[in-house]
């Protein structure tokens, strides 16, 4: 039995392509990270669950993964194109706070969400402000041939590279019309590489450059950090689907200029062989936002009593290229599915004398092939097929459920197969328990001990056929927000 070739959807060609690494046996991936001016919303976190799923799949299929995620702490304007204010400076001014403190606080908050969602640590978290020198070198090397200077800064002339905007497919002057034109720009889509601090103003973050004191453009950062840490061309560049329109076409243009590359008919000329984009998490009312309506942060889900892995499950249930609509009912259903899985894992663990140890090289596909034979191999193959078909996690999840439901299976092999599949899906099924899923909602008036105690008294009353006391206890619990779940199929006696 051989592994299935990995097919991934390349946004640049709008086609499924077989993954062929640039460097034999390796996979080098760059993911556009958060702008740390505020907490990420759960839609932002979908982008990192997707990148993690991709990284895990590559590792599982035997590639030595080098993953870089950046932290944007300078340069990202309130409009992705060339208008508005720097998001970080704006927040710092609004709050009259030190910009570095803001960056630190929100970077740490983002990392907490990363951990809670069981997203693996990348090889590098590259922080934009650590690469200012490299950005200046990059900009200097392309300035003569590809840029021009205006009062407001150094601009990239998109007409100087071939196939500008191919990734977006729809970049027209009309499309860019919503952007208030900067006077003197040669093309509407031209963008700032370096932004000068306007005379009389002072930014909290600014550096000297040949084009005056100021700050780098957001697009420049990602070109510089990806090229420096992974080398051009690298394998895969990821981001949310909004980046397909402006940020990534601009990165590509800069990469072409820096590498002296021609047409994008050769995808490697873009700086990466594959450009992959996750679709949006949306709310019923439309686009997810940090300012309008309820700010859907991961912490809000936790405060309401949902384990963060229920959100990961919700993401995995949809293909990354499909739009996903968030609803509390949907999250509840994902939590129930996770509970059911964990109940089966607990039963499986009870059948094991010893918990099998993780092999040295991890629970990889190749290891599973070698270790697990016979009737189980088709399940492994189907899981591999699903993941190899552009990361089809919804199908892979159903195969994992089949494994757990499979009756005549040696428990050791069942555990190993489960471990191997979860190495890809990252639901942490080997470590999380059903009890961990029980999160105390913020503001709950009653403790677990009090609930357990009331339920024990209720059980005793029922045993003595004292239904008046039993009902009274139940009513008391209901009044404190506890739902008593007699005969629950998943063995949960109560929920808050
Ligand atoms: P930002 O911090 O705004 O740069 O965004 C971080 C990441 O989240 C980027 O990859 C965005 O493309 C992605 N993103 C933004 N909104 C959503 C959403 N509603 N659903 C999924 N991904 C999103
Ligand atoms: Zn980026």
């Amino acid at each position: 039995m051989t592994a299935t070739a990995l097919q991934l959807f390349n946004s640049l060609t709008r086609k499924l392509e077989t993954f062929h690494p640039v460097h034999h046996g390796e996979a080098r991936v760059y993911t556009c990270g958060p702008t740390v001016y505020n907490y990420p919303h759960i839609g932002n976190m979908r982008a990192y669950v997707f990148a993690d799923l991709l990284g895990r799949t590559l590792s599982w299929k035997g590639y030595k993964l080098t993953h870089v995620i950046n932290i944007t702490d300078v340069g990202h304007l309130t409009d992705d194109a060339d208008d508005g204010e720097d998001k970080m400076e704006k927040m710092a001014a609004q709050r009259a706070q030190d910009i570095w403190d803001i960056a630190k606080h929100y970077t740490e908050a983002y990392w907490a969400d990363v951990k809670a969602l069981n997203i693996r640590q990348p090889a590098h978290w590259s922080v934009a402000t650590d690469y200012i020198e490299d950005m200046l070198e990059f900009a200097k090397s392309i300035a003569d041939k590809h840029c021009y200077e205006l009062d407001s800064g150094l601009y990239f002339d998109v007409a100087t590279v071939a196939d500008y905007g191919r990734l977006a497919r729809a970049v027209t002057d009309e499309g860019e019309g919503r952007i208030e034109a900067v006077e003197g720009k040669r093309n509407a889509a031209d963008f700032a590489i370096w932004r000068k601090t306007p005379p009389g103003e002072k930014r909290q973050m600014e550096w000297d450059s040949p084009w005056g004191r100021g700050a780098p453009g957001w697009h420049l950062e990602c070109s510089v950090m990806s090229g420096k840490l992974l080398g051009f061309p690298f394998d895969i560049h990821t981001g949310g689907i909004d980046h397909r329109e402006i940020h990534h076409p601009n990165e590509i243009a800069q990469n072409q200029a820096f590498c002296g590359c021609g047409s994008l008919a050769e995808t490697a000329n873009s700086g990466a062989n594959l450009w992959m984009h996750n679709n949006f998490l949306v709310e019923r009312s439309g686009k997810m936002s940090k300012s309008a309506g309820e700010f859907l942060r991961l912490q809000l889900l936790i405060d309401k009593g949902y384990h963060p892995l229920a959100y990961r499950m919700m993401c995995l249930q949809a293909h990354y290229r499909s739009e996903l609509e968030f609803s509390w009912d949907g999250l509840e259903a994902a939590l129930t599915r996770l509970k059911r899985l964990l109940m089966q894992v607990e039963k499986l663990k009870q059948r094991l004398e010893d918990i099998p140890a993780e092999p040295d090289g991890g629970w990889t596909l190749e290891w599973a092939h070698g270790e697990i034979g016979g009737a189980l191999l088709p399940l492994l193959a189907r899981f591999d097929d699903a993941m190899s078909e552009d990361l089809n996690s919804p199908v892979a999840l159903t195969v994992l459920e089949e494994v757990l439901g499979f009756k005549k299976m040696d428990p050791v092999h069942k555990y190993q197969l489960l471990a191997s599949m979860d190495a890809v899906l990252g639901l942490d099924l080997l470590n999380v328990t059903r009890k961990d899923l029980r999160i105390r909602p913020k503001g709950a008036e009653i403790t677990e001990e009090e609930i357990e105690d009331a339920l024990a008294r209720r059980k005793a009353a029922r045993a003595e056929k004292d239904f008046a006391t039993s009902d009274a206890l139940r009513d008391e619990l209901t009044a404190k927000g506890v739902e008593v779940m007699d005969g629950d199929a998943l063995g949960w006696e109560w929920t808050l």
Side-chain angles (χ1 to χ4, degrees):
M1 178 175 154
T2 50
T4 310
L6 177 60
Q7 301 271 316
L8 298 170
F9 187 82
N10 191 351
S11 301
L12 195 51
T13 56
R14 298 290 200 273
K15 278 194 200 119
L16 273 181
E17 289 174 12
T18 304
F19 178 68
H20 295 295
V22 175
H23 302 270
H24 181 73
E26 282 192 44
R28 302 187 185 185
V29 180
Y30 183 89
T31 294
C32 282
T35 306
V36 286
Y37 73 106
N38 202 339
Y39 295 108
H41 58 50
I42 54 173
N44 298 132
M45 295 314 293
R46 187 183 186 199
Y48 308 109
V49 170
F50 151 64
D52 182 52
L53 184 70
L54 171 67
R56 284 171 174 272
T57 304
L58 289 161
S59 300
W60 186 70
K61 288 177 79 72
Y63 297 102
K64 183 177 162 288
L65 175 71
T66 308
H67 192 183
V68 177
I69 307 180
N70 79 284
I71 302 286
T72 295
D73 56 353
V74 67
H76 192 174
L77 301 195
T78 44
D79 187 297
D80 274 2
D82 238 15
D83 195 27
E85 298 165 74
D86 186 307
K87 290 186 184 194
M88 297 286 304
E89 294 278 344
K90 186 178 170 195
M91 187 55 105
Q94 258 173 17
R95 300 236 183 113
Q97 228 180 328
D98 184 288
I99 201 164
W100 299 96
D101 289 344
I102 291 189
K104 180 168 185 288
H105 175 78
Y106 292 114
T107 302
E108 282 168 5
Y110 164 68
W111 281 337
D113 286 2
V114 162
K115 185 159 187 271
L117 290 168
N118 201 30
I119 291 167
R120 295 195 309 180
Q121 290 289 320
H124 305 275
W125 291 110
S126 59
V127 179
T129 48
D130 290 343
Y131 290 82
I132 301 292
E133 276 307 314
D134 300 289
M135 293 178 204
L136 289 171
E137 287 311 310
F138 187 113
K140 277 189 230 163
S141 77
I142 62 172
D144 286 351
K145 268 175 100 174
H146 299 274
C147 305
Y148 57 94
E149 208 176 331
L150 297 178
D151 285 346
S152 51
L154 184 71
Y155 285 79
F156 189 95
D157 180 344
V158 299
T160 62
V161 290
D163 301 330
Y164 175 75
R166 169 168 297 196
L167 181 67
R169 291 287 195 279
V171 173
T172 58
D173 280 1
E174 202 184 329
E176 296 281 327
R178 68 196 167 85
I179 299 158
E180 201 180 295
V182 173
E183 205 168 324
K185 271 205 322 192
R186 294 181 188 163
N187 313 284
D190 290 354
F191 54 91
I193 294 264
W194 189 266
R195 225 170 253 114
K196 286 186 219 177
T197 308
E201 281 183 29
K202 186 161 172 39
R203 295 172 47 107
Q204 286 201 45
M205 282 180 178
E206 54 179 18
W207 296 264
D208 287 325
S209 86
W211 315 284
R213 208 164 160 74
W218 171 44
H219 317 299
L220 179 65
E221 304 174 3
C222 284
S223 280
V224 169
M225 294 186 281
S226 61
K228 168 132 192 182
L229 293 166
L230 299 175
F232 291 128
F234 55 93
D235 294 299
I236 307 174
H237 194 310
T238 83
I241 196 154
D242 51 332
H243 288 349
R244 214 174 62 178
E245 309 307 316
I246 296 170
H247 182 44
H248 289 172
N250 290 354
E251 269 188 57
I252 289 173
Q254 294 168 153
N255 298 349
Q256 283 172 286
F258 182 76
C259 301
C261 285
S263 133
L264 296 178
E266 190 71 54
T267 53
N269 285 347
S270 69
N273 271 342
L274 284 139
W275 293 76
M276 294 178 70
H277 297 94
N278 63 279
N279 210 324
F280 265 20
L281 180 78
V282 295
E283 289 183 78
R284 180 150 301 182
S285 55
K287 202 177 162 209
M288 192 153 289
S289 142
K290 299 187 189 191
S291 47
E294 194 172 36
F295 181 3
L296 282 170
R297 284 175 58 192
L298 196 62
Q299 189 58 45
L300 179 73
L301 273 48
I302 298 169
D303 288 347
K304 292 198 183 215
Y306 292 96
H307 194 283
L309 288 173
Y311 177 63
R312 184 171 177 113
M313 171 65 102
M314 192 177 186
C315 291
L316 295 177
Q317 285 176 344
H319 189 263
Y320 77 89
R321 279 198 288 129
S322 309
E323 202 170 79
L324 172 61
E325 187 179 303
F326 178 80
S327 71
W328 293 103
D329 285 348
L331 186 63
E332 186 72 44
L335 178 64
T336 301
R337 193 171 182 191
L338 189 56
K339 278 185 204 166
R340 190 164 277 137
L341 284 181
L342 288 179
M343 186 165 77
Q344 288 172 302
V345 175
E346 274 168 29
K347 280 192 189 143
L348 172 63
K349 281 182 178 167
Q350 285 160 9
R351 288 175 61 207
L352 289 167
E353 276 175 27
D354 296 305
I355 299 289
E358 181 168 352
D360 285 343
W363 304 101
T364 61
L365 172 63
E366 195 186 358
W367 176 86
H369 266 177
E371 197 72 16
I372 303 164
L376 304 185
L377 275 184
L379 286 165
L380 184 64
R382 276 171 47 213
F383 186 88
D384 183 22
D385 284 350
M387 290 313 298
S388 300
E389 199 196 322
D390 197 25
L391 313 181
N392 199 336
S393 56
V395 171
L397 264 173
T398 62
V399 181
L400 179 134
E401 282 167 333
E402 256 184 71
V403 170
L404 280 168
F406 207 97
K407 290 277 184 301
K408 294 184 219 94
M409 194 188 285
D410 170 59
V412 172
H413 280 163
K414 194 169 183 171
Y415 184 91
Q416 290 169 329
L417 194 52
L418 167 75
S420 180
M421 292 179 178
D422 196 45
V424 176
L425 298 174
L427 289 167
D428 207 13
L429 297 174
L430 306 183
N431 301 308
V432 174
T433 64
R434 265 192 309 159
K435 213 164 169 213
D436 296 331
L437 289 188
R438 194 165 244 155
I439 302 248
R440 217 174 126 67
K442 199 175 166 187
E445 292 170 21
I446 186 165
T447 66
E448 292 207 359
E449 290 73 35
E450 287 166 337
I451 298 171
E452 296 290 353
D453 179 61
L455 284 177
R457 281 186 283 133
R458 178 167 172 264
K459 216 175 195 171
R462 277 159 63 118
E464 288 172 17
K465 304 220 176 325
D466 178 359
F467 295 113
T469 304
S470 150
D471 288 350
L473 281 164
R474 187 190 184 118
D475 291 347
E476 237 172 68
L477 287 168
T478 307
K480 288 185 175 158
V482 182
E483 186 191 343
V484 179
M485 299 155 78
D486 291 324
D488 176 50
L490 300 180
W492 274 35
E493 294 184 330
W494 56 268
T495 177
L496 253 168

